[in-house]
């Protein structure tokens, strides 16, 4: 018995004490010091580890005034053996990685997902951050939802503080960021956070959220829709801040020309107008033929001839008989034109054939469309 007791005591002395094991997520690391956390307890160890990885540490676990400490004999990367928290949301980056639920949940590290993509993230919350361990992607949102990211591809209709984008069925307003240069007619891809007001507004967080995809293809005017680029030749029927054309009911913005000028236009079709992208005058109105003898009610024309008589009424309205060879027409001179002519003058006018008391007449839309004498 004495011998057995001695042997037992010897075995106890040479057998190492039983080690503790702790599995946790590394939530903090600095040179020579890290913290592991399992959702319930945190343990400090004297090793530098990689934040975001799960480790199992072996050694002697003891309490200190600052919490649990482990004198580590060995450690290894391992799967978690503790419950994980789950968060569903949309992945977003704005200085730091986040999940929008739509409230912002700040992630301790980026995840393998596209910006704006819906994800299910499993991990642990520690301090002010959520530490991802597992990530399951769900794809991009199918429709815009307030407070969530959305990706839209479309054509730039206009620029300013907000970029107006047409995606084929709806107009979006995108906040323009510094360093981002886009032009009407360009195709773009934008990811931004949705705010629904009078329009659907998208708020990107960085210039990389707006990608240029080239320009829309040119289409014939008759076969075009909003967002298409059209290319054709048109005659200017009326000029001003916008141009009325003979080829369409849509008015042309962004180009100056005179009534009667023939234009070649490359323009962006918008909801109710055309925006000039590249326009030029291919034939100035002075080269139009004289149609005074080709009277055709309702048609646009240029007339040139000599004033044979002028009559003014008490209300200021005037008439001038303009002749060319054996042809004549009555030129209407309302006071709003601010134009007067005298007998014997040669005049040229650009406008439309009409009637006055059942007689052939001609009317113009602006005083700039009548010239006389040496000014023609």
């Amino acid at each position: 018995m004495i011998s057995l007791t001695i042997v037992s005591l010897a075995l106890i002395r040479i057998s190492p004490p039983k080690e503790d094991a702790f599995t946790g997520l590394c939530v903090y690391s600095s040179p020579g010091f890290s913290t592991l956390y399992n959702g319930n307890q945190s343990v400090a160890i004297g090793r530098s580890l990689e934040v975001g990885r799960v480790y199992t540490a072996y050694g002697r676990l003891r309490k200190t005034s600052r919490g649990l400490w482990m004198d580590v004999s060995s450690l290894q990367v391992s799967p978690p053996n503790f419950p994980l928290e789950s968060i569903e949301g949309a992945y977003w980056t704005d200085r730091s990685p986040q999940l929008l639920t739509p409230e912002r949940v700040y992630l301790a590290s980026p995840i393998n997902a596209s910006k704006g993509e819906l994800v299910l993230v499993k991990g642990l919350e520690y301090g002010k951050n959520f530490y991802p361990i597992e990530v399951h992607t769900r794809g991009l949102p199918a429709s815009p939802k307030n407070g969530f990211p959305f990706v839209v591809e479309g054509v730039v209709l206009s620029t300013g503080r907000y970029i107006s984008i047409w995606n084929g069925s709806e107009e979006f307003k995108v906040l323009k960021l510094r360093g981002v240069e886009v032009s009407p007619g360009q195709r773009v891809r934008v990811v931004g956070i949705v705010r629904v007001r009078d329009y659907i507004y998208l708020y990107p967080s960085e210039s990389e959220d707006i990608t240029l995809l080239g320009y829309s293809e040119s289409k014939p005017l008759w076969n075009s829709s909003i967002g298409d680029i059209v290319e054709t030749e048109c005659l200017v029927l009326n000029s001003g801040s916008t141009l009325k054309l003979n080829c369409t009911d849509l008015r042309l913005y962004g180009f100056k020309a005179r009534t009667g000028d023939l234009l070649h236009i490359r323009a962006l079709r918008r909801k109710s107008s055309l925006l000039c992208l590249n326009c030029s005058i291919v034939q100035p109105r002075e080269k139009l033929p004289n149609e005074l003898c080709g009277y055709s009610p309702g048609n646009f024309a240029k007339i040139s001839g000599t004033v044979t008589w002028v009559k003014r009424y008490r209300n200021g309205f005037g008439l001038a008989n303009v002749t060319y060879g054996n042809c004549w027409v009555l030129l209407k001179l309302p006071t709003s034109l601010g134009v007067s002519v005298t007998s014997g003058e040669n005049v040229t006018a650009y406008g439309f054939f009409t009637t006055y008391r059942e007689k052939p007449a001609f009317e113009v839309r602006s005083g700039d469309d009548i010239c006389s004498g040496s000014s023609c």
Side-chain angles (χ1 to χ4, degrees):
M1 290 294 294
I2 294 173
S3 298
L4 287 174
T5 301
I6 294 172
V7 170
S8 298
L9 290 173
L11 287 174
I12 291 174
R13 287 183 180 179
I14 63 175
S15 298
K18 185 179 179 181
E19 287 189 319
D20 297 308
F22 183 86
T23 299
L25 173 70
C26 179
V27 293
Y28 176 79
S29 181
S30 66
F33 180 83
S34 296
T35 301
L36 299 179
Y37 178 64
N38 66 0
N40 183 38
Q41 288 182 313
S42 59
V43 172
I45 63 174
R47 301 283 185 93
S48 295
L49 304 177
E50 183 180 344
V51 174
R53 278 189 176 275
V54 177
Y55 297 87
T56 297
Y58 300 92
R60 187 167 65 91
L61 195 62
R62 56 190 176 87
K63 290 183 179 181
T64 70
S65 59
R66 296 186 177 182
L68 291 175
W69 174 272
M70 176 176 279
D71 297 314
V72 176
S73 61
S74 65
L75 61 83
Q76 63 187 28
V77 176
S78 64
N81 64 355
F82 45 83
L84 300 179
E85 303 169 40
S86 297
I87 298 179
E88 290 187 80
Y91 184 52
W92 191 250
T93 55
D94 183 2
R95 303 193 201 101
S96 62
Q98 308 157 32
L99 287 183
L100 302 181
T101 64
E103 289 77 14
R104 293 176 186 259
V105 176
Y106 291 92
L107 301 176
S109 61
I111 61 175
N112 187 21
S114 300
K115 192 170 184 178
E117 191 171 14
L118 298 174
V119 293
L120 169 64
V121 179
K122 295 183 179 182
L124 293 178
E125 184 177 2
Y126 184 83
K128 296 181 179 180
N129 293 325
F130 189 85
Y131 290 75
I133 296 176
E134 297 178 16
V135 177
H136 305 273
T137 57
R138 299 285 193 258
L140 295 171
S143 58
K145 185 178 179 182
N146 208 27
F148 281 87
F150 187 67
V151 177
V152 62
E153 288 189 15
V155 179
V156 176
L157 298 182
S158 63
T159 59
R161 184 186 176 197
Y162 288 91
I163 304 168
S164 176
I165 294 177
W166 180 258
N167 75 338
S169 60
E170 197 165 8
E171 186 175 359
F172 292 78
K173 299 288 187 180
V174 177
L175 180 66
K176 186 178 179 182
L177 302 179
R178 288 185 180 179
V180 174
E181 295 297 332
V182 297
S183 302
Q186 283 185 308
R187 294 193 60 83
V188 296
R189 180 184 186 272
V190 178
V191 55
I193 297 177
V194 173
R195 294 288 182 267
V196 179
R197 297 198 289 272
D198 49 339
Y199 289 92
I200 298 176
Y201 288 80
L202 292 180
Y203 291 85
S205 63
E206 53 192 351
S207 58
E208 289 76 12
D209 295 339
I210 302 176
T211 306
L212 304 183
L213 304 176
Y215 280 85
S216 290
E217 295 182 3
S218 296
K219 289 188 177 181
L221 182 60
W222 60 269
N223 192 34
S224 64
S225 57
I226 299 171
D228 290 336
I229 293 177
V230 300
E231 196 161 359
T232 188
E233 288 191 355
C234 304
L235 189 72
V236 179
L237 300 181
N238 191 18
S239 62
S241 58
T242 64
L243 302 179
K244 180 175 175 58
L245 308 173
N246 71 335
C247 57
T248 177
D249 292 333
L250 302 172
R251 300 197 65 103
L252 178 67
Y253 285 73
F255 190 71
K256 295 293 185 182
R258 301 166 301 168
T259 299
D261 287 339
L262 181 64
L263 308 182
H264 179 273
I265 66 170
R266 177 177 168 83
L268 172 66
R269 179 161 183 178
R270 301 191 292 189
K271 287 183 177 180
S272 56
S273 65
L274 296 173
L275 177 65
C276 176
L277 301 177
N278 186 8
C279 303
S280 60
I281 299 173
V282 295
Q283 178 180 284
R285 65 185 186 177
E286 289 81 4
K287 292 188 176 181
L288 289 175
N290 184 4
E291 298 285 352
L292 193 146
C293 292
Y295 174 76
S296 178
N299 283 355
F300 178 86
K302 166 191 171 182
I303 64 167
S304 292
T306 303
V307 178
T308 57
W309 55 261
V310 179
K311 183 176 181 179
R312 282 285 178 184
Y313 295 90
R314 289 182 178 179
N315 61 4
F317 179 77
L319 287 174
N321 185 283
V322 181
T323 63
Y324 179 75
N326 296 324
C327 307
W328 62 270
V329 71
L330 297 176
L331 177 61
K332 292 183 176 182
L333 298 170
T335 55
S336 59
L337 295 180
V339 173
S340 62
V341 298
T342 58
S343 296
E345 276 189 317
N346 292 322
V347 298
T348 298
Y350 304 90
F352 297 84
F353 286 112
T354 183
T355 60
Y356 180 76
R357 295 181 179 177
E358 300 182 355
K359 293 181 175 63
F362 195 80
E363 64 180 18
V364 299
R365 303 286 172 82
S366 166
D368 294 333
D369 297 333
I370 299 176
C371 64
S372 60
S374 59
S375 63
C376 291

